[in-house]
PDB file of all heavy atoms in Angstrom:
ATOM      1  N   ARG A   1      36.263  65.861  96.820  1.00 88.00           N
ATOM      2  CA  ARG A   1      37.672  66.102  96.586  1.00 88.00           C
ATOM      3  C   ARG A   1      38.399  64.889  96.007  1.00 88.00           C
ATOM      4  O   ARG A   1      39.628  64.925  95.862  1.00 88.00           O
ATOM      5  CB  ARG A   1      38.341  66.534  97.886  1.00 88.00           C
ATOM      6  CG  ARG A   1      37.753  67.821  98.467  1.00 88.00           C
ATOM      7  CD  ARG A   1      38.365  68.148  99.806  1.00 88.00           C
ATOM      8  NE  ARG A   1      37.777  69.364 100.376  1.00 88.00           N
ATOM      9  CZ  ARG A   1      38.041  69.831 101.579  1.00 88.00           C
ATOM     10  NH1 ARG A   1      38.908  69.185 102.367  1.00 88.00           N
ATOM     11  NH2 ARG A   1      37.459  70.934 102.014  1.00 88.00           N
ATOM     12  N   TYR A   2      37.663  63.848  95.657  1.00 90.00           N
ATOM     13  CA  TYR A   2      38.243  62.610  95.174  1.00 90.00           C
ATOM     14  C   TYR A   2      37.662  62.219  93.827  1.00 90.00           C
ATOM     15  O   TYR A   2      36.490  62.469  93.541  1.00 90.00           O
ATOM     16  CB  TYR A   2      37.971  61.469  96.157  1.00 90.00           C
ATOM     17  CG  TYR A   2      38.743  61.567  97.439  1.00 90.00           C
ATOM     18  CD1 TYR A   2      38.439  62.526  98.392  1.00 90.00           C
ATOM     19  CD2 TYR A   2      39.783  60.674  97.701  1.00 90.00           C
ATOM     20  CE1 TYR A   2      39.154  62.614  99.571  1.00 90.00           C
ATOM     21  CE2 TYR A   2      40.491  60.749  98.887  1.00 90.00           C
ATOM     22  CZ  TYR A   2      40.180  61.716  99.815  1.00 90.00           C
ATOM     23  OH  TYR A   2      40.887  61.787 100.985  1.00 90.00           O
ATOM     24  N   ALA A   3      38.481  61.597  93.010  1.00 92.00           N
ATOM     25  CA  ALA A   3      37.942  60.829  91.904  1.00 92.00           C
ATOM     26  C   ALA A   3      37.256  59.595  92.484  1.00 92.00           C
ATOM     27  O   ALA A   3      37.781  58.961  93.403  1.00 92.00           O
ATOM     28  CB  ALA A   3      39.045  60.413  90.938  1.00 92.00           C
ATOM     29  N   ILE A   4      36.082  59.280  91.984  1.00 92.00           N
ATOM     30  CA  ILE A   4      35.342  58.123  92.471  1.00 92.00           C
ATOM     31  C   ILE A   4      35.150  57.142  91.319  1.00 92.00           C
ATOM     32  O   ILE A   4      34.953  57.539  90.171  1.00 92.00           O
ATOM     33  CB  ILE A   4      33.989  58.516  93.089  1.00 92.00           C
ATOM     34  CG1 ILE A   4      33.133  59.326  92.100  1.00 92.00           C
ATOM     35  CG2 ILE A   4      34.212  59.305  94.366  1.00 92.00           C
ATOM     36  CD1 ILE A   4      31.717  59.589  92.586  1.00 92.00           C
ATOM     37  N   ALA A   5      35.186  55.868  91.646  1.00 95.00           N
ATOM     38  CA  ALA A   5      35.149  54.840  90.618  1.00 95.00           C
ATOM     39  C   ALA A   5      34.415  53.613  91.123  1.00 95.00           C
ATOM     40  O   ALA A   5      34.269  53.397  92.329  1.00 95.00           O
ATOM     41  CB  ALA A   5      36.564  54.461  90.182  1.00 95.00           C
ATOM     42  N   TRP A   6      33.956  52.822  90.181  1.00 97.00           N
ATOM     43  CA  TRP A   6      33.382  51.511  90.462  1.00 97.00           C
ATOM     44  C   TRP A   6      34.153  50.446  89.700  1.00 97.00           C
ATOM     45  O   TRP A   6      34.442  50.610  88.508  1.00 97.00           O
ATOM     46  CB  TRP A   6      31.902  51.446  90.074  1.00 97.00           C
ATOM     47  CG  TRP A   6      31.019  52.214  90.997  1.00 97.00           C
ATOM     48  CD1 TRP A   6      30.594  53.493  90.853  1.00 97.00           C
ATOM     49  CD2 TRP A   6      30.437  51.738  92.219  1.00 97.00           C
ATOM     50  NE1 TRP A   6      29.787  53.852  91.904  1.00 97.00           N
ATOM     51  CE2 TRP A   6      29.676  52.800  92.754  1.00 97.00           C
ATOM     52  CE3 TRP A   6      30.492  50.520  92.904  1.00 97.00           C
ATOM     53  CZ2 TRP A   6      28.970  52.672  93.954  1.00 97.00           C
ATOM     54  CZ3 TRP A   6      29.793  50.397  94.104  1.00 97.00           C
ATOM     55  CH2 TRP A   6      29.045  51.467  94.610  1.00 97.00           C
ATOM     56  N   PHE A   7      34.466  49.381  90.400  1.00 97.00           N
ATOM     57  CA  PHE A   7      35.065  48.194  89.823  1.00 97.00           C
ATOM     58  C   PHE A   7      34.147  47.016  90.085  1.00 97.00           C
ATOM     59  O   PHE A   7      33.245  47.090  90.923  1.00 97.00           O
ATOM     60  CB  PHE A   7      36.437  47.908  90.444  1.00 97.00           C
ATOM     61  CG  PHE A   7      37.499  48.915  90.099  1.00 97.00           C
ATOM     62  CD1 PHE A   7      37.500  50.176  90.660  1.00 97.00           C
ATOM     63  CD2 PHE A   7      38.512  48.586  89.207  1.00 97.00           C
ATOM     64  CE1 PHE A   7      38.484  51.102  90.358  1.00 97.00           C
ATOM     65  CE2 PHE A   7      39.505  49.499  88.892  1.00 97.00           C
ATOM     66  CZ  PHE A   7      39.486  50.759  89.465  1.00 97.00           C
ATOM     67  N   ARG A   8      34.374  45.923  89.383  1.00 97.00           N
ATOM     68  CA  ARG A   8      33.603  44.717  89.643  1.00 97.00           C
ATOM     69  C   ARG A   8      34.462  43.485  89.402  1.00 97.00           C
ATOM     70  O   ARG A   8      35.414  43.513  88.629  1.00 97.00           O
ATOM     71  CB  ARG A   8      32.338  44.654  88.787  1.00 97.00           C
ATOM     72  CG  ARG A   8      32.582  44.468  87.296  1.00 97.00           C
ATOM     73  CD  ARG A   8      31.271  44.527  86.532  1.00 97.00           C
ATOM     74  NE  ARG A   8      31.454  44.300  85.106  1.00 97.00           N
ATOM     75  CZ  ARG A   8      30.480  44.403  84.208  1.00 97.00           C
ATOM     76  NH1 ARG A   8      29.242  44.713  84.597  1.00 97.00           N
ATOM     77  NH2 ARG A   8      30.734  44.178  82.925  1.00 97.00           N
ATOM     78  N   GLN A   9      34.090  42.407  90.076  1.00 97.00           N
ATOM     79  CA  GLN A   9      34.771  41.135  89.895  1.00 97.00           C
ATOM     80  C   GLN A   9      33.726  40.037  89.794  1.00 97.00           C
ATOM     81  O   GLN A   9      33.022  39.745  90.761  1.00 97.00           O
ATOM     82  CB  GLN A   9      35.736  40.851  91.040  1.00 97.00           C
ATOM     83  CG  GLN A   9      36.581  39.615  90.819  1.00 97.00           C
ATOM     84  CD  GLN A   9      37.748  39.522  91.781  1.00 97.00           C
ATOM     85  OE1 GLN A   9      37.748  40.148  92.840  1.00 97.00           O
ATOM     86  NE2 GLN A   9      38.747  38.742  91.416  1.00 97.00           N
ATOM     87  N   ALA A  10      33.633  39.445  88.625  1.00 96.00           N
ATOM     88  CA  ALA A  10      32.696  38.361  88.384  1.00 96.00           C
ATOM     89  C   ALA A  10      33.316  37.042  88.831  1.00 96.00           C
ATOM     90  O   ALA A  10      34.544  36.920  88.926  1.00 96.00           O
ATOM     91  CB  ALA A  10      32.329  38.302  86.902  1.00 96.00           C
ATOM     92  N   PRO A  11      32.489  36.041  89.097  1.00 91.00           N
ATOM     93  CA  PRO A  11      33.031  34.738  89.492  1.00 91.00           C
ATOM     94  C   PRO A  11      34.004  34.196  88.458  1.00 91.00           C
ATOM     95  O   PRO A  11      33.693  34.140  87.266  1.00 91.00           O
ATOM     96  CB  PRO A  11      31.785  33.856  89.600  1.00 91.00           C
ATOM     97  CG  PRO A  11      30.671  34.821  89.886  1.00 91.00           C
ATOM     98  CD  PRO A  11      31.017  36.057  89.124  1.00 91.00           C
ATOM     99  N   GLY A  12      35.182  33.829  88.909  1.00 93.00           N
ATOM    100  CA  GLY A  12      36.186  33.285  88.024  1.00 93.00           C
ATOM    101  C   GLY A  12      36.891  34.290  87.143  1.00 93.00           C
ATOM    102  O   GLY A  12      37.685  33.895  86.278  1.00 93.00           O
ATOM    103  N   LYS A  13      36.631  35.573  87.341  1.00 94.00           N
ATOM    104  CA  LYS A  13      37.230  36.618  86.520  1.00 94.00           C
ATOM    105  C   LYS A  13      38.087  37.545  87.373  1.00 94.00           C
ATOM    106  O   LYS A  13      37.952  37.606  88.592  1.00 94.00           O
ATOM    107  CB  LYS A  13      36.151  37.439  85.817  1.00 94.00           C
ATOM    108  CG  LYS A  13      35.204  36.633  84.946  1.00 94.00           C
ATOM    109  CD  LYS A  13      35.890  36.115  83.704  1.00 94.00           C
ATOM    110  CE  LYS A  13      34.894  35.438  82.782  1.00 94.00           C
ATOM    111  NZ  LYS A  13      35.537  34.938  81.541  1.00 94.00           N
ATOM    112  N   GLU A  14      38.959  38.286  86.712  1.00 94.00           N
ATOM    113  CA  GLU A  14      39.743  39.307  87.391  1.00 94.00           C
ATOM    114  C   GLU A  14      38.920  40.573  87.569  1.00 94.00           C
ATOM    115  O   GLU A  14      37.970  40.828  86.829  1.00 94.00           O
ATOM    116  CB  GLU A  14      41.020  39.615  86.610  1.00 94.00           C
ATOM    117  CG  GLU A  14      41.986  38.452  86.511  1.00 94.00           C
ATOM    118  CD  GLU A  14      43.284  38.827  85.844  1.00 94.00           C
ATOM    119  OE1 GLU A  14      43.477  40.013  85.511  1.00 94.00           O
ATOM    120  OE2 GLU A  14      44.126  37.942  85.654  1.00 94.00           O
ATOM    121  N   ARG A  15      39.296  41.370  88.555  1.00 94.00           N
ATOM    122  CA  ARG A  15      38.597  42.621  88.797  1.00 94.00           C
ATOM    123  C   ARG A  15      38.828  43.584  87.638  1.00 94.00           C
ATOM    124  O   ARG A  15      39.943  43.711  87.128  1.00 94.00           O
ATOM    125  CB  ARG A  15      39.068  43.242  90.108  1.00 94.00           C
ATOM    126  CG  ARG A  15      38.286  44.476  90.521  1.00 94.00           C
ATOM    127  CD  ARG A  15      38.418  44.752  92.007  1.00 94.00           C
ATOM    128  NE  ARG A  15      39.801  44.886  92.432  1.00 94.00           N
ATOM    129  CZ  ARG A  15      40.189  44.976  93.691  1.00 94.00           C
ATOM    130  NH1 ARG A  15      39.280  44.911  94.668  1.00 94.00           N
ATOM    131  NH2 ARG A  15      41.461  45.104  93.994  1.00 94.00           N
ATOM    132  N   GLU A  16      37.763  44.261  87.215  1.00 95.00           N
ATOM    133  CA  GLU A  16      37.847  45.186  86.107  1.00 95.00           C
ATOM    134  C   GLU A  16      37.229  46.530  86.482  1.00 95.00           C
ATOM    135  O   GLU A  16      36.297  46.595  87.277  1.00 95.00           O
ATOM    136  CB  GLU A  16      37.142  44.623  84.875  1.00 95.00           C
ATOM    137  CG  GLU A  16      35.646  44.413  85.060  1.00 95.00           C
ATOM    138  CD  GLU A  16      34.929  44.022  83.785  1.00 95.00           C
ATOM    139  OE1 GLU A  16      35.416  44.362  82.694  1.00 95.00           O
ATOM    140  OE2 GLU A  16      33.865  43.372  83.883  1.00 95.00           O
ATOM    141  N   GLY A  17      37.738  47.575  85.882  1.00 95.00           N
ATOM    142  CA  GLY A  17      37.169  48.888  86.076  1.00 95.00           C
ATOM    143  C   GLY A  17      35.871  49.037  85.312  1.00 95.00           C
ATOM    144  O   GLY A  17      35.741  48.577  84.178  1.00 95.00           O
ATOM    145  N   VAL A  18      34.898  49.696  85.927  1.00 96.00           N
ATOM    146  CA  VAL A  18      33.579  49.888  85.338  1.00 96.00           C
ATOM    147  C   VAL A  18      33.356  51.335  84.934  1.00 96.00           C
ATOM    148  O   VAL A  18      32.969  51.627  83.799  1.00 96.00           O
ATOM    149  CB  VAL A  18      32.470  49.439  86.308  1.00 96.00           C
ATOM    150  CG1 VAL A  18      31.091  49.757  85.741  1.00 96.00           C
ATOM    151  CG2 VAL A  18      32.600  47.948  86.607  1.00 96.00           C
ATOM    152  N   SER A  19      33.584  52.262  85.868  1.00 96.00           N
ATOM    153  CA  SER A  19      33.299  53.662  85.608  1.00 96.00           C
ATOM    154  C   SER A  19      34.061  54.531  86.580  1.00 96.00           C
ATOM    155  O   SER A  19      34.443  54.086  87.664  1.00 96.00           O
ATOM    156  CB  SER A  19      31.791  53.934  85.715  1.00 96.00           C
ATOM    157  OG  SER A  19      31.482  55.275  85.384  1.00 96.00           O
ATOM    158  N   CYS A  20      34.252  55.786  86.200  1.00 94.00           N
ATOM    159  CA  CYS A  20      34.969  56.733  87.039  1.00 94.00           C
ATOM    160  C   CYS A  20      34.516  58.146  86.719  1.00 94.00           C
ATOM    161  O   CYS A  20      34.205  58.454  85.566  1.00 94.00           O
ATOM    162  CB  CYS A  20      36.474  56.592  86.819  1.00 94.00           C
ATOM    163  SG  CYS A  20      37.505  57.666  87.846  1.00 94.00           S
ATOM    164  N   THR A  21      34.494  58.999  87.733  1.00 93.00           N
ATOM    165  CA  THR A  21      34.206  60.416  87.534  1.00 93.00           C
ATOM    166  C   THR A  21      35.055  61.224  88.505  1.00 93.00           C
ATOM    167  O   THR A  21      35.443  60.749  89.565  1.00 93.00           O
ATOM    168  CB  THR A  21      32.711  60.728  87.721  1.00 93.00           C
ATOM    169  OG1 THR A  21      32.443  62.085  87.339  1.00 93.00           O
ATOM    170  CG2 THR A  21      32.293  60.532  89.173  1.00 93.00           C
ATOM    171  N   SER A  22      35.341  62.461  88.109  1.00 89.00           N
ATOM    172  CA  SER A  22      36.201  63.325  88.906  1.00 89.00           C
ATOM    173  C   SER A  22      35.713  64.757  88.829  1.00 89.00           C
ATOM    174  O   SER A  22      35.289  65.215  87.760  1.00 89.00           O
ATOM    175  CB  SER A  22      37.644  63.237  88.427  1.00 89.00           C
ATOM    176  OG  SER A  22      38.464  64.196  89.078  1.00 89.00           O
ATOM    177  N   SER A  23      35.807  65.468  89.949  1.00 80.00           N
ATOM    178  CA  SER A  23      35.466  66.888  89.957  1.00 80.00           C
ATOM    179  C   SER A  23      36.502  67.712  89.222  1.00 80.00           C
ATOM    180  O   SER A  23      36.242  68.867  88.888  1.00 80.00           O
ATOM    181  CB  SER A  23      35.319  67.387  91.395  1.00 80.00           C
ATOM    182  OG  SER A  23      36.526  67.245  92.117  1.00 80.00           O
ATOM    183  N   ARG A  24      37.673  67.163  88.965  1.00 76.00           N
ATOM    184  CA  ARG A  24      38.736  67.867  88.252  1.00 76.00           C
ATOM    185  C   ARG A  24      38.594  67.771  86.746  1.00 76.00           C
ATOM    186  O   ARG A  24      39.238  68.497  86.013  1.00 76.00           O
ATOM    187  CB  ARG A  24      40.097  67.320  88.669  1.00 76.00           C
ATOM    188  CG  ARG A  24      40.426  67.494  90.135  1.00 76.00           C
ATOM    189  CD  ARG A  24      41.815  66.989  90.427  1.00 76.00           C
ATOM    190  NE  ARG A  24      42.817  67.766  89.717  1.00 76.00           N
ATOM    191  CZ  ARG A  24      44.084  67.392  89.556  1.00 76.00           C
ATOM    192  NH1 ARG A  24      44.495  66.243  90.062  1.00 76.00           N
ATOM    193  NH2 ARG A  24      44.924  68.175  88.903  1.00 76.00           N
ATOM    194  N   GLU A  25      37.773  66.859  86.273  1.00 66.00           N
ATOM    195  CA  GLU A  25      37.588  66.644  84.847  1.00 66.00           C
ATOM    196  C   GLU A  25      36.101  66.575  84.536  1.00 66.00           C
ATOM    197  O   GLU A  25      35.319  66.004  85.289  1.00 66.00           O
ATOM    198  CB  GLU A  25      38.270  65.351  84.390  1.00 66.00           C
ATOM    199  CG  GLU A  25      39.773  65.318  84.608  1.00 66.00           C
ATOM    200  CD  GLU A  25      40.533  66.193  83.637  1.00 66.00           C
ATOM    201  OE1 GLU A  25      39.969  66.536  82.585  1.00 66.00           O
ATOM    202  OE2 GLU A  25      41.688  66.539  83.928  1.00 66.00           O
ATOM    203  N   SER A  26      35.726  67.126  83.396  1.00 67.00           N
ATOM    204  CA  SER A  26      34.330  67.074  82.978  1.00 67.00           C
ATOM    205  C   SER A  26      33.971  65.745  82.329  1.00 67.00           C
ATOM    206  O   SER A  26      32.804  65.383  82.254  1.00 67.00           O
ATOM    207  CB  SER A  26      34.021  68.225  82.014  1.00 67.00           C
ATOM    208  OG  SER A  26      34.836  68.149  80.860  1.00 67.00           O
ATOM    209  N   THR A  27      34.961  65.035  81.848  1.00 72.00           N
ATOM    210  CA  THR A  27      34.734  63.771  81.165  1.00 72.00           C
ATOM    211  C   THR A  27      34.556  62.640  82.169  1.00 72.00           C
ATOM    212  O   THR A  27      35.346  62.497  83.102  1.00 72.00           O
ATOM    213  CB  THR A  27      35.902  63.446  80.228  1.00 72.00           C
ATOM    214  OG1 THR A  27      36.037  64.481  79.252  1.00 72.00           O
ATOM    215  CG2 THR A  27      35.668  62.124  79.519  1.00 72.00           C
ATOM    216  N   THR A  28      33.518  61.866  81.968  1.00 89.00           N
ATOM    217  CA  THR A  28      33.265  60.668  82.749  1.00 89.00           C
ATOM    218  C   THR A  28      33.591  59.455  81.900  1.00 89.00           C
ATOM    219  O   THR A  28      33.255  59.416  80.717  1.00 89.00           O
ATOM    220  CB  THR A  28      31.810  60.612  83.216  1.00 89.00           C
ATOM    221  OG1 THR A  28      31.518  61.762  84.019  1.00 89.00           O
ATOM    222  CG2 THR A  28      31.550  59.367  84.052  1.00 89.00           C
ATOM    223  N   TYR A  29      34.248  58.490  82.505  1.00 92.00           N
ATOM    224  CA  TYR A  29      34.713  57.335  81.746  1.00 92.00           C
ATOM    225  C   TYR A  29      33.891  56.106  82.090  1.00 92.00           C
ATOM    226  O   TYR A  29      33.588  55.850  83.262  1.00 92.00           O
ATOM    227  CB  TYR A  29      36.191  57.059  82.032  1.00 92.00           C
ATOM    228  CG  TYR A  29      36.723  55.896  81.237  1.00 92.00           C
ATOM    229  CD1 TYR A  29      37.113  56.063  79.915  1.00 92.00           C
ATOM    230  CD2 TYR A  29      36.805  54.621  81.799  1.00 92.00           C
ATOM    231  CE1 TYR A  29      37.581  54.993  79.173  1.00 92.00           C
ATOM    232  CE2 TYR A  29      37.268  53.551  81.061  1.00 92.00           C
ATOM    233  CZ  TYR A  29      37.656  53.747  79.750  1.00 92.00           C
ATOM    234  OH  TYR A  29      38.119  52.686  79.017  1.00 92.00           O
ATOM    235  N   TYR A  30      33.559  55.327  81.060  1.00 95.00           N
ATOM    236  CA  TYR A  30      32.877  54.051  81.221  1.00 95.00           C
ATOM    237  C   TYR A  30      33.590  52.979  80.417  1.00 95.00           C
ATOM    238  O   TYR A  30      34.040  53.227  79.295  1.00 95.00           O
ATOM    239  CB  TYR A  30      31.425  54.125  80.744  1.00 95.00           C
ATOM    240  CG  TYR A  30      30.563  55.077  81.524  1.00 95.00           C
ATOM    241  CD1 TYR A  30      30.404  56.397  81.122  1.00 95.00           C
ATOM    242  CD2 TYR A  30      29.906  54.655  82.672  1.00 95.00           C
ATOM    243  CE1 TYR A  30      29.614  57.271  81.844  1.00 95.00           C
ATOM    244  CE2 TYR A  30      29.110  55.520  83.398  1.00 95.00           C
ATOM    245  CZ  TYR A  30      28.970  56.832  82.976  1.00 95.00           C
ATOM    246  OH  TYR A  30      28.182  57.690  83.701  1.00 95.00           O
TER     247      TYR A  30
END
């Protein structure tokens, strides 16, 4: 029932979005 996503934060860097998927949408984002 949730959109699920992965983020990452490298040393010395800001956190960035990596990927996301949702049961409400067929499109997956990278």
Side-chain angles (χ1 to χ4, degrees):
R1 300 175 181 174
Y2 289 71
I4 55 173
W6 288 94
F7 292 74
R8 68 184 182 185
Q9 186 166 20
K13 303 290 186 179
E14 296 185 4
R15 186 159 56 188
E16 63 173 334
V18 175
S19 184
C20 182
T21 188
S22 173
S23 61
R24 298 183 64 195
E25 299 286 341
S26 60
T27 300
T28 300
Y29 182 81
Y30 297 92

